[in-house]
Amino acid sequence: MIESVMHMPGDDPLRAIGVIAKALDGIANIEFKQFDLTRGQYMYLSRICEEPGLTQTQLGERIKVDRATATRAIQQLEAHGFIRRENDDQDRKQKHVWPTEKANQVYPRIRAENEHSTQIALQGFSATEQQQVKQLLLRMQQNVSDNWDFVKRGGVRKY
Amino acid sequence: MIESVMHMPGDDPLRAIGVIAKALDGIANIEFKQFDLTRGQYMYLSRICEEPGLTQTQLGERIKVDRATATRAIQQLEAHGFIRRENDDQDRKQKHVWPTEKANQVYPRIRAENEHSTQIALQGFSATEQQQVKQLLLRMQQNVSDNWDFVKRGGVRKY
DNA sequence: AATTATTAGTTGCAATTGCAACAAGCAACT
DNA sequence: AGTTGCTTGTTGCAATTGCAACTAATAATT
């Protein structure tokens, strides 16, 4: 009985991360419809505005989406005038992605929404706690990135 | 220039949460294919095994998915023998969800994967830091839940 | 130099997702 | 009791996602 309680995932950090992410993604998708952004596009658009010239592969890796998914999302953003694409000068296999003026107008709205969600999420946190959670989350992100790459490329984790 | 650096989302906690979640979800979906689980089903199955008898609505709220999505995922799990559904005794609008033996056999594998991913994510964390991040994340989850509900039901956030 | 292996982006196919509308059931009001 | 409003689960439709296969380009090997 006590053991059962000990092992219940009620305090599972990864689950909390999953739920928070899902909630905020759901909120964002609803709120960004007014800017002509479809599901998930805000993630791509943010990255492209912050790091103009990223290749498609780099973009997909930052967001942790499948290459096919990245391609199609980027195609849509291009079709709706948010971005433009250009081949790399040295390596014609690669394409770089640049924001258009349309994107740069929407980006501050994305930031505003994100700040608001951040305020909500960190409500009741002291300044120290805010710093702490930021640092801890960044370390976690670094910790899991290689695993995603490994498994995505066909690697099999042992456990 | 300095201002621009200050406002760069490099230390955005919500973004880190989104990336971590996406990475771990991607990994989990790949790894659970061997158990006949399709995309995202592990989230539902875990909840159903841990809280047998949840209604569909409760389940969807815990995971933060759309009602239609929950319905369809649950239908699939039922069709593949992982769960069974029953109407509520008092309110025939509601359906409760129960795990089958098949589900109870798979659940420990889901837990094992989750434990492994947790180990990876928390690599290099002291015991104190582990406790900290768990607590902070739980509080964040609580902070955002009402917002999800509000926006999902049509509420409009001001910011 | 020629061949083989790997990589980046793309597309077909099928599954999943979410909005909107609907039906059935229950709650609240008159 | 009858009417209106709300809730739960479902379905149609269209968009998104991810696996697998493909093409073109580049890297590595022979």
Short mmCIF file of all heavy atoms in Angstrom, two decimals, chain A residues 44 53-63 65-75 78 83-86 93-97, chain C residues 8-10:
data_model
loop_
_atom_site.label_atom_id
_atom_site.label_comp_id
_atom_site.label_asym_id
_atom_site.label_seq_id
_atom_site.Cartn_x
_atom_site.Cartn_y
_atom_site.Cartn_z
N TYR A 44 7.55 27.34 -35.39
CA TYR A 44 8.46 27.55 -36.51
C TYR A 44 8.74 29.03 -36.70
O TYR A 44 9.88 29.46 -36.86
CB TYR A 44 7.87 26.97 -37.79
CG TYR A 44 7.62 25.49 -37.76
CD1 TYR A 44 6.44 24.98 -37.24
CD2 TYR A 44 8.57 24.61 -38.25
CE1 TYR A 44 6.21 23.62 -37.22
CE2 TYR A 44 8.33 23.24 -38.23
CZ TYR A 44 7.16 22.76 -37.70
OH TYR A 44 6.92 21.42 -37.67
N GLY A 53 17.71 32.57 -41.42
CA GLY A 53 18.72 31.85 -42.17
C GLY A 53 18.96 30.42 -41.73
O GLY A 53 19.75 29.72 -42.35
N LEU A 54 18.26 29.98 -40.71
CA LEU A 54 18.38 28.58 -40.31
C LEU A 54 18.06 27.66 -41.49
O LEU A 54 17.20 27.97 -42.30
CB LEU A 54 17.36 28.25 -39.22
CG LEU A 54 17.65 28.59 -37.77
CD1 LEU A 54 16.47 28.17 -36.90
CD2 LEU A 54 18.91 27.88 -37.29
N THR A 55 18.73 26.52 -41.54
CA THR A 55 18.32 25.52 -42.54
C THR A 55 17.10 24.78 -42.01
O THR A 55 16.82 24.81 -40.81
CB THR A 55 19.44 24.49 -42.80
OG1 THR A 55 19.67 23.77 -41.58
CG2 THR A 55 20.72 25.16 -43.26
N GLN A 56 16.42 24.11 -42.90
CA GLN A 56 15.22 23.37 -42.50
C GLN A 56 15.55 22.33 -41.45
O GLN A 56 14.81 22.12 -40.49
CB GLN A 56 14.57 22.73 -43.72
CG GLN A 56 13.98 23.75 -44.64
CD GLN A 56 13.10 23.12 -45.74
OE1 GLN A 56 12.81 23.81 -46.70
NE2 GLN A 56 12.67 21.89 -45.60
N THR A 57 16.68 21.67 -41.66
CA THR A 57 17.09 20.63 -40.70
C THR A 57 17.35 21.21 -39.32
O THR A 57 16.90 20.67 -38.31
CB THR A 57 18.35 19.91 -41.21
OG1 THR A 57 18.02 19.22 -42.42
CG2 THR A 57 18.87 18.92 -40.19
N GLN A 58 18.05 22.34 -39.29
CA GLN A 58 18.32 22.97 -37.99
C GLN A 58 17.02 23.35 -37.29
O GLN A 58 16.86 23.17 -36.08
CB GLN A 58 19.18 24.22 -38.18
CG GLN A 58 20.60 23.89 -38.58
CD GLN A 58 21.37 25.14 -39.01
OE1 GLN A 58 20.79 26.08 -39.57
NE2 GLN A 58 22.67 25.15 -38.77
N LEU A 59 16.11 23.87 -38.09
CA LEU A 59 14.82 24.28 -37.54
C LEU A 59 14.08 23.08 -36.94
O LEU A 59 13.61 23.13 -35.80
CB LEU A 59 13.99 24.93 -38.66
CG LEU A 59 12.64 25.51 -38.34
CD1 LEU A 59 12.69 26.44 -37.14
CD2 LEU A 59 12.10 26.28 -39.55
N GLY A 60 14.01 22.01 -37.72
CA GLY A 60 13.33 20.81 -37.24
C GLY A 60 13.95 20.25 -35.97
O GLY A 60 13.25 19.76 -35.09
N GLU A 61 15.27 20.35 -35.87
CA GLU A 61 15.97 19.84 -34.68
C GLU A 61 15.68 20.70 -33.46
O GLU A 61 15.56 20.19 -32.34
CB GLU A 61 17.47 19.77 -34.93
CG GLU A 61 17.87 18.53 -35.72
CD GLU A 61 19.30 18.59 -36.25
OE1 GLU A 61 19.96 19.62 -36.05
OE2 GLU A 61 19.72 17.61 -36.89
N ARG A 62 15.58 21.99 -33.66
CA ARG A 62 15.29 22.85 -32.52
C ARG A 62 13.92 22.58 -31.94
O ARG A 62 13.72 22.74 -30.74
CB ARG A 62 15.42 24.33 -32.93
CG ARG A 62 16.87 24.80 -32.97
CD ARG A 62 17.03 26.12 -33.69
NE ARG A 62 18.36 26.69 -33.60
CZ ARG A 62 19.47 26.19 -34.08
NH1 ARG A 62 19.44 25.04 -34.70
NH2 ARG A 62 20.62 26.81 -33.96
N ILE A 63 13.00 22.23 -32.82
CA ILE A 63 11.63 22.02 -32.39
C ILE A 63 11.33 20.55 -32.11
O ILE A 63 10.32 20.23 -31.48
CB ILE A 63 10.63 22.55 -33.46
CG1 ILE A 63 10.93 24.01 -33.80
CG2 ILE A 63 9.21 22.42 -32.99
CD1 ILE A 63 10.05 24.56 -34.89
N VAL A 65 10.80 18.06 -34.44
CA VAL A 65 9.76 17.48 -35.29
C VAL A 65 10.41 16.66 -36.39
O VAL A 65 11.59 16.85 -36.74
CB VAL A 65 8.85 18.56 -35.94
CG1 VAL A 65 8.01 19.25 -34.90
CG2 VAL A 65 9.65 19.53 -36.77
N ASP A 66 9.65 15.77 -36.96
CA ASP A 66 10.09 14.92 -38.05
C ASP A 66 10.45 15.78 -39.26
O ASP A 66 9.85 16.83 -39.47
CB ASP A 66 8.95 13.96 -38.39
CG ASP A 66 9.36 12.90 -39.38
OD1 ASP A 66 9.99 11.92 -38.96
OD2 ASP A 66 9.04 13.06 -40.57
N ARG A 67 11.40 15.32 -40.05
CA ARG A 67 11.84 16.08 -41.23
C ARG A 67 10.68 16.35 -42.18
O ARG A 67 10.56 17.43 -42.77
CB ARG A 67 12.92 15.33 -41.99
CG ARG A 67 14.28 15.45 -41.37
CD ARG A 67 15.27 14.41 -41.82
NE ARG A 67 15.19 14.00 -43.20
CZ ARG A 67 15.16 12.73 -43.59
NH1 ARG A 67 15.16 11.76 -42.70
NH2 ARG A 67 15.14 12.43 -44.85
N ALA A 68 9.83 15.35 -42.37
CA ALA A 68 8.68 15.51 -43.25
C ALA A 68 7.76 16.61 -42.71
O ALA A 68 7.24 17.44 -43.46
CB ALA A 68 7.93 14.20 -43.37
N THR A 69 7.56 16.59 -41.42
CA THR A 69 6.68 17.57 -40.77
C THR A 69 7.26 18.97 -40.94
O THR A 69 6.53 19.92 -41.25
CB THR A 69 6.51 17.24 -39.29
OG1 THR A 69 6.05 15.89 -39.17
CG2 THR A 69 5.53 18.18 -38.62
N ALA A 70 8.55 19.09 -40.72
CA ALA A 70 9.20 20.39 -40.87
C ALA A 70 9.04 20.90 -42.30
O ALA A 70 8.67 22.06 -42.52
CB ALA A 70 10.67 20.30 -40.49
N THR A 71 9.34 20.05 -43.26
CA THR A 71 9.20 20.43 -44.67
C THR A 71 7.82 20.99 -44.95
O THR A 71 7.67 22.05 -45.54
CB THR A 71 9.46 19.22 -45.58
OG1 THR A 71 10.83 18.86 -45.49
CG2 THR A 71 9.12 19.54 -47.03
N ARG A 72 6.83 20.25 -44.51
CA ARG A 72 5.47 20.66 -44.85
C ARG A 72 5.02 21.91 -44.13
O ARG A 72 4.31 22.74 -44.69
CB ARG A 72 4.52 19.50 -44.62
CG ARG A 72 4.43 18.74 -45.98
CD ARG A 72 3.46 17.69 -45.95
NE ARG A 72 3.96 16.58 -45.17
CZ ARG A 72 4.00 15.32 -45.62
NH1 ARG A 72 3.64 15.06 -46.85
NH2 ARG A 72 4.42 14.37 -44.84
N ALA A 73 5.45 22.04 -42.90
CA ALA A 73 5.09 23.26 -42.16
C ALA A 73 5.73 24.48 -42.82
O ALA A 73 5.10 25.52 -42.99
CB ALA A 73 5.54 23.13 -40.71
N ILE A 74 6.99 24.32 -43.21
CA ILE A 74 7.72 25.41 -43.84
C ILE A 74 7.10 25.76 -45.19
O ILE A 74 6.98 26.93 -45.55
CB ILE A 74 9.21 25.03 -43.96
CG1 ILE A 74 9.84 24.97 -42.57
CG2 ILE A 74 9.95 26.02 -44.86
CD1 ILE A 74 11.18 24.26 -42.52
N GLN A 75 6.71 24.74 -45.92
CA GLN A 75 6.04 24.96 -47.20
C GLN A 75 4.78 25.81 -47.02
O GLN A 75 4.50 26.72 -47.80
CB GLN A 75 5.65 23.64 -47.84
CG GLN A 75 6.79 22.91 -48.52
CD GLN A 75 6.39 21.51 -48.99
OE1 GLN A 75 5.37 20.98 -48.60
NE2 GLN A 75 7.22 20.90 -49.82
N GLU A 78 5.58 29.39 -46.20
CA GLU A 78 6.02 30.07 -47.42
C GLU A 78 4.81 30.40 -48.29
O GLU A 78 4.68 31.52 -48.80
CB GLU A 78 7.00 29.19 -48.19
CG GLU A 78 7.58 29.88 -49.41
CD GLU A 78 8.60 29.02 -50.14
OE1 GLU A 78 8.38 27.80 -50.27
OE2 GLU A 78 9.62 29.56 -50.59
N ILE A 83 7.30 33.40 -44.84
CA ILE A 83 8.75 33.15 -44.97
C ILE A 83 9.13 33.01 -46.44
O ILE A 83 8.28 32.87 -47.32
CB ILE A 83 9.17 31.84 -44.27
CG1 ILE A 83 8.47 30.64 -44.94
CG2 ILE A 83 8.86 31.89 -42.78
CD1 ILE A 83 9.12 29.33 -44.65
N ARG A 84 10.44 33.04 -46.68
CA ARG A 84 10.93 32.67 -48.00
C ARG A 84 12.08 31.70 -47.79
O ARG A 84 12.75 31.71 -46.77
CB ARG A 84 11.34 33.91 -48.79
CG ARG A 84 12.43 34.72 -48.14
CD ARG A 84 12.77 35.97 -48.93
NE ARG A 84 13.65 36.84 -48.20
CZ ARG A 84 14.97 36.72 -48.17
NH1 ARG A 84 15.55 35.76 -48.85
NH2 ARG A 84 15.72 37.55 -47.46
N ARG A 85 12.32 30.89 -48.80
CA ARG A 85 13.38 29.89 -48.74
C ARG A 85 14.42 30.14 -49.82
O ARG A 85 14.07 30.56 -50.92
CB ARG A 85 12.81 28.48 -48.93
CG ARG A 85 12.01 27.99 -47.76
CD ARG A 85 11.71 26.51 -47.89
NE ARG A 85 10.68 26.25 -48.89
CZ ARG A 85 10.22 25.03 -49.18
NH1 ARG A 85 10.72 23.99 -48.57
NH2 ARG A 85 9.30 24.87 -50.09
N GLU A 86 15.66 29.79 -49.49
CA GLU A 86 16.75 29.89 -50.48
C GLU A 86 17.71 28.74 -50.31
O GLU A 86 17.99 28.30 -49.19
CB GLU A 86 17.54 31.19 -50.26
CG GLU A 86 16.87 32.42 -50.79
CD GLU A 86 17.66 33.67 -50.44
OE1 GLU A 86 18.87 33.54 -50.16
OE2 GLU A 86 17.06 34.75 -50.41
N LYS A 93 21.94 20.90 -51.34
CA LYS A 93 20.95 20.05 -50.68
C LYS A 93 20.19 20.84 -49.61
O LYS A 93 19.09 20.48 -49.24
CB LYS A 93 21.60 18.85 -50.02
CG LYS A 93 22.13 17.82 -51.00
CD LYS A 93 22.26 16.44 -50.39
CE LYS A 93 22.75 16.35 -48.98
NZ LYS A 93 24.11 16.83 -48.74
N GLN A 94 20.82 21.86 -49.08
CA GLN A 94 20.24 22.58 -47.96
C GLN A 94 19.46 23.82 -48.38
O GLN A 94 19.80 24.48 -49.35
CB GLN A 94 21.35 23.05 -47.01
CG GLN A 94 22.23 21.93 -46.52
CD GLN A 94 23.08 22.41 -45.37
OE1 GLN A 94 23.16 23.60 -45.08
NE2 GLN A 94 23.73 21.48 -44.70
N LYS A 95 18.42 24.08 -47.58
CA LYS A 95 17.65 25.31 -47.81
C LYS A 95 17.61 26.14 -46.53
O LYS A 95 17.41 25.61 -45.44
CB LYS A 95 16.22 24.97 -48.22
CG LYS A 95 16.15 24.33 -49.59
CD LYS A 95 14.72 24.20 -50.08
CE LYS A 95 14.71 23.64 -51.49
NZ LYS A 95 13.35 23.46 -52.01
N HIS A 96 17.80 27.41 -46.73
CA HIS A 96 17.72 28.35 -45.61
C HIS A 96 16.35 29.01 -45.59
O HIS A 96 15.71 29.16 -46.63
CB HIS A 96 18.80 29.43 -45.75
CG HIS A 96 20.19 28.88 -45.61
ND1 HIS A 96 20.78 28.65 -44.39
CD2 HIS A 96 21.09 28.50 -46.54
CE1 HIS A 96 21.99 28.16 -44.58
NE2 HIS A 96 22.20 28.06 -45.87
N VAL A 97 15.94 29.41 -44.41
CA VAL A 97 14.60 29.98 -44.23
C VAL A 97 14.71 31.38 -43.63
O VAL A 97 15.42 31.58 -42.63
CB VAL A 97 13.76 29.09 -43.31
CG1 VAL A 97 12.31 29.54 -43.31
CG2 VAL A 97 13.85 27.63 -43.74
P DA C 8 21.97 16.58 -43.17
OP1 DA C 8 22.77 17.69 -42.59
OP2 DA C 8 21.17 15.69 -42.30
"O5'" DA C 8 20.99 17.19 -44.25
"C5'" DA C 8 21.51 18.09 -45.23
"C4'" DA C 8 20.39 18.48 -46.18
"O4'" DA C 8 20.05 17.34 -46.99
"C3'" DA C 8 19.12 18.93 -45.48
"O3'" DA C 8 18.68 20.14 -46.09
"C2'" DA C 8 18.14 17.77 -45.68
"C1'" DA C 8 18.66 17.12 -46.95
N9 DA C 8 18.47 15.67 -47.03
C8 DA C 8 18.64 14.75 -46.03
N7 DA C 8 18.42 13.51 -46.41
C5 DA C 8 18.09 13.63 -47.75
C6 DA C 8 17.74 12.68 -48.73
N6 DA C 8 17.68 11.36 -48.50
N1 DA C 8 17.45 13.14 -49.97
C2 DA C 8 17.52 14.45 -50.20
N3 DA C 8 17.84 15.45 -49.36
C4 DA C 8 18.11 14.96 -48.15
P DG C 9 17.40 20.93 -45.54
OP1 DG C 9 17.63 22.36 -45.78
OP2 DG C 9 17.05 20.44 -44.20
"O5'" DG C 9 16.28 20.43 -46.57
"C5'" DG C 9 16.48 20.66 -47.96
"C4'" DG C 9 15.47 19.87 -48.77
"O4'" DG C 9 15.71 18.46 -48.59
"C3'" DG C 9 14.00 20.11 -48.38
"O3'" DG C 9 13.34 20.58 -49.54
"C2'" DG C 9 13.50 18.74 -47.94
"C1'" DG C 9 14.47 17.80 -48.65
N9 DG C 9 14.62 16.49 -48.03
C8 DG C 9 14.98 16.21 -46.73
N7 DG C 9 15.01 14.93 -46.46
C5 DG C 9 14.66 14.33 -47.67
C6 DG C 9 14.53 12.96 -48.00
O6 DG C 9 14.70 11.97 -47.28
N1 DG C 9 14.14 12.78 -49.34
C2 DG C 9 13.92 13.80 -50.23
N2 DG C 9 13.56 13.44 -51.46
N3 DG C 9 14.05 15.09 -49.93
C4 DG C 9 14.41 15.27 -48.64
P DT C 10 11.80 20.92 -49.49
OP1 DT C 10 11.55 22.00 -50.46
OP2 DT C 10 11.36 21.07 -48.09
"O5'" DT C 10 11.16 19.57 -50.07
"C5'" DT C 10 11.61 19.12 -51.35
"C4'" DT C 10 10.88 17.84 -51.73
"O4'" DT C 10 11.34 16.75 -50.90
"C3'" DT C 10 9.36 17.90 -51.54
"O3'" DT C 10 8.77 17.60 -52.80
"C2'" DT C 10 9.05 16.84 -50.51
"C1'" DT C 10 10.25 15.90 -50.63
N1 DT C 10 10.59 15.14 -49.39
C2 DT C 10 10.54 13.76 -49.45
O2 DT C 10 10.22 13.14 -50.45
N3 DT C 10 10.89 13.12 -48.27
C4 DT C 10 11.28 13.72 -47.08
O4 DT C 10 11.58 13.05 -46.11
C5 DT C 10 11.29 15.17 -47.11
C7 DT C 10 11.67 15.92 -45.87
C6 DT C 10 10.96 15.81 -48.24
#
